[in-house]
Amino acid sequence: MGSSNRRVSYFYDMEVGHFYYGPGHPMKPHRLKLTHHLLLSLGLYRKLDVYRPHLASASEMTQFHSEDYVDFLQRVTPDNVRPFAQQMTRFNVGECTDCPIYDGMFEFCQMYSGASVDGAVKLNQGACDIAINWSGGLHHAKKSEASGFCYINDIVLAILELLKYHPRVLYIDIDIHHGDGVEEAFYLTDRVMTVSFHKYGDFFPGTGNIADVGAKGGKYYSVNFPLKEGMDDASYDQIFKPVIQRVMEVYRPGAIVLQCGADSLTGDRLGCFNLTLRGHGECVNFVKSFGVPLLVLGGGGYTIRNVARCWAYETSVLLETPVPDEIPYNDYFEYYSPDFKLHLTPTPTLDNANTSDSLNVLRDQILQQLQNIEGAPSIQMQAIPPDWDRVKAAIEKQLEEEEQNPDYRPETNPDPKTGATDKRQHPAEFFDGPETSPSGGPPPSPGAHPRAPRPALPR
């Protein structure tokens, strides 16, 4: 299917970049703001169907998560933590964990989860061929536990929505961390195959051994490719394409969910791979080439200027629209100093601990595991559960707004007088310069910029 016929939906809430995990925390939702403004300045939004997602309700979240866990997330705030001390320990949330309680925490979960569910609904209804939610992809959250900066597992919720229409759903994860929350959710079923390429060995979350292949009805439907530090583009291409090609042949999914964590890029604050945008983006391009309904999500990524570069570039890949290497001027132009280039250069001093021979051994072992799948599993015909009423109502409201105002696009229309676009962010966020410049030189001098306070969130 050519790009002219491929419909791509993009989900973005103007408030999603204004949340703040706390001082020193590596997860910065502000990266979503950078990504969005880079998409605008590159003109890619013109080829996207842009939607403001609905806020996922607690009842939607409990399709996977336990009711007491969701109720806790809904009620706890930084101002009332004392009565929740026991629950905080139970649910792995709080200052002694990597999942702090911060202002607007539940609203943030509602936004990114609602966007992923909306994308799944659009794909189910045949209203698009590819759906993008860069705010999603939080793959570590468990049924009753937060983990790895993730509170609600939007991926599982979206896959459950896709399973209403598709007998088989394939989940692919190219984040540097193992997609443990998603694998655990579907470990016992053959209706979802999970495939994760990740750093393994003394690295969070410590799961994802090649021998972890699923259990009971899901045996051989969990695929894990454990990697070492220093993975480069050529090495990744050597393993990714043969494995995914074979998975597509034996599993024949009706829909694919692709998690594009950008912490597998070179220079990531928490990662140790050496991928460039071209290597990372080639995975997206290869998955897209199968022409299967595709939900594309974000994930990790902690050098935020590179996260924005990556997801903007991969949006262009999904649209089959080339973009220049020069970063066009936008509201966050200073983040891309000193070279102001889109593409990244691999770190020359980072050695690749993955030899070609060792990767071939692992690849052949996984291909051998896939031979245990004799054919794509089928399911008995049954009635399709109804789509969420709030989701459909939100889509209808969006269409009504667009009919009344044909030029309506969330945050894409500049002020007619000043030409400025919204660049608000949490008042505690500031640009402190890159840890090291892309060229390896000294970082720019730190500097704080005044920001407008975050407005009240839509309810």
Side-chain angles (χ1 to χ4, degrees), residues 139-157:
H139 58 175
H140 294 306
K142 310 297 197 308
K143 181 180 179 69
S144 300
E145 180 182 319
S147 177
F149 319 153
C150 308
Y151 302 80
I152 294 295
N153 199 315
D154 64 291
I155 306 171
V156 173
L157 297 178

Side-chain angles (χ1 to χ4, degrees), residues 34 38 305 308-309 327 332-340:
L34 269 67
L38 191 50
R305 64 186 185 276
R309 285 176 163 115
I327 298 284
Y332 300 100
F333 188 66
E334 69 271 22
Y335 279 75
Y336 306 103
S337 69
D339 63 348
F340 302 100

Side-chain angles (χ1 to χ4, degrees), residues 236-258:
Y236 215 89
D237 191 75
Q238 174 186 346
I239 60 171
F240 184 84
K241 290 182 178 179
V243 169
I244 297 302
Q245 180 69 48
R246 185 58 180 156
V247 165
M248 293 298 294
E249 291 170 356
V250 300
Y251 192 62
R252 302 205 303 273
I256 301 174
V257 178
L258 175 60

Side-chain angles (χ1 to χ4, degrees), residues 1-8 44 47-48 129-130 132 281 284-291 294 312-323:
M1 183 182 292
S3 60
S4 60
N5 298 321
R6 186 163 289 176
R7 299 160 298 172
V8 182
L44 294 172
K47 295 189 175 183
L48 296 165
D129 304 295
I130 299 172
I132 303 172
V284 177
N285 186 54
F286 187 70
V287 173
K288 176 181 69 71
S289 69
F290 291 97
L294 177 61
Y313 172 71
E314 288 175 353
T315 301
S316 77
V317 169
L318 293 166
L319 291 169
E320 300 180 14
T321 301
V323 290

Side-chain angles (χ1 to χ4, degrees), residues 71-351:
D71 180 66
F72 161 76
L73 293 179
Q74 196 170 12
R75 292 192 294 132
V76 70
T77 70
D79 300 323
N80 68 355
V81 295
R82 189 177 296 273
F84 294 98
Q86 186 175 357
Q87 288 177 294
M88 288 166 60
T89 300
R90 175 185 170 193
F91 297 131
N92 192 40
V93 175
E95 61 181 11
C96 296
T97 74
D98 56 12
C99 296
I101 295 170
Y102 58 89
D103 182 41
M105 177 181 68
F106 189 70
E107 288 89 345
F108 181 54
C109 295
Q110 287 183 292
M111 285 183 188
Y112 73 74
S113 299
S116 293
V117 172
D118 282 355
V121 170
K122 278 284 189 183
L123 292 169
N124 282 345
Q125 295 177 344
C128 68
D129 304 295
I130 299 172
I132 303 172
N133 171 29
W134 293 126
S135 68
L138 278 72
H139 58 175
H140 294 306
K142 310 297 197 308
K143 181 180 179 69
S144 300
E145 180 182 319
S147 177
F149 319 153
C150 308
Y151 302 80
I152 294 295
N153 199 315
D154 64 291
I155 306 171
V156 173
L157 297 178
I159 290 175
L160 291 174
E161 193 70 29
L162 290 170
L163 288 172
K164 294 179 180 179
Y165 285 73
H166 302 281
R168 297 172 302 280
V169 175
L170 171 63
Y171 172 68
I172 304 171
D173 192 316
I174 59 174
D175 193 292
I176 195 173
H177 300 96
H178 177 232
D180 58 335
V182 184
E183 178 185 275
E184 181 179 301
F186 300 109
Y187 203 66
L188 304 179
T189 180
D190 60 4
R191 291 201 60 196
V192 178
M193 175 175 278
T194 60
V195 184
S196 180
F197 301 82
H198 51 268
K199 171 73 167 66
Y200 181 74
D202 192 25
F203 196 76
F204 182 85
T207 54
N209 190 292
I210 193 171
D212 298 333
V213 297
K216 298 184 178 179
K219 190 172 184 180
Y220 301 119
Y221 292 92
S222 293
V223 178
N224 288 295
F225 207 121
L227 302 167
K228 299 178 181 179
E229 63 275 6
M231 279 294 292
D232 56 25
D233 291 353
S235 297
Y236 215 89
D237 191 75
Q238 174 186 346
I239 60 171
F240 184 84
K241 290 182 178 179
V243 169
I244 297 302
Q245 180 69 48
R246 185 58 180 156
V247 165
M248 293 298 294
E249 291 170 356
V250 300
Y251 192 62
R252 302 205 303 273
I256 301 174
V257 178
L258 175 60
Q259 197 266 22
C260 300
D263 47 9
S264 47
L265 292 174
T266 183
D268 187 78
R269 180 177 173 185
L270 299 185
C272 56
F273 282 0
N274 209 11
L275 298 178
T276 70
L277 267 60
R278 290 186 174 89
H280 202 270
E282 181 57 27
C283 297
V284 177
N285 186 54
F286 187 70
V287 173
K288 176 181 69 71
S289 69
F290 291 97
V292 176
L294 177 61
L295 176 61
V296 179
L297 306 174
Y302 308 101
T303 301
I304 64 174
R305 64 186 185 276
N306 292 347
V307 176
R309 285 176 163 115
C310 179
W311 292 345
Y313 172 71
E314 288 175 353
T315 301
S316 77
V317 169
L318 293 166
L319 291 169
E320 300 180 14
T321 301
V323 290
D325 190 30
E326 293 74 24
I327 298 284
Y329 185 79
N330 62 79
D331 285 348
Y332 300 100
F333 188 66
E334 69 271 22
Y335 279 75
Y336 306 103
S337 69
D339 63 348
F340 302 100
K341 299 291 185 182
L342 179 67
H343 285 280
L344 303 174
T345 302
T347 304
T349 56
L350 181 58
D351 293 330

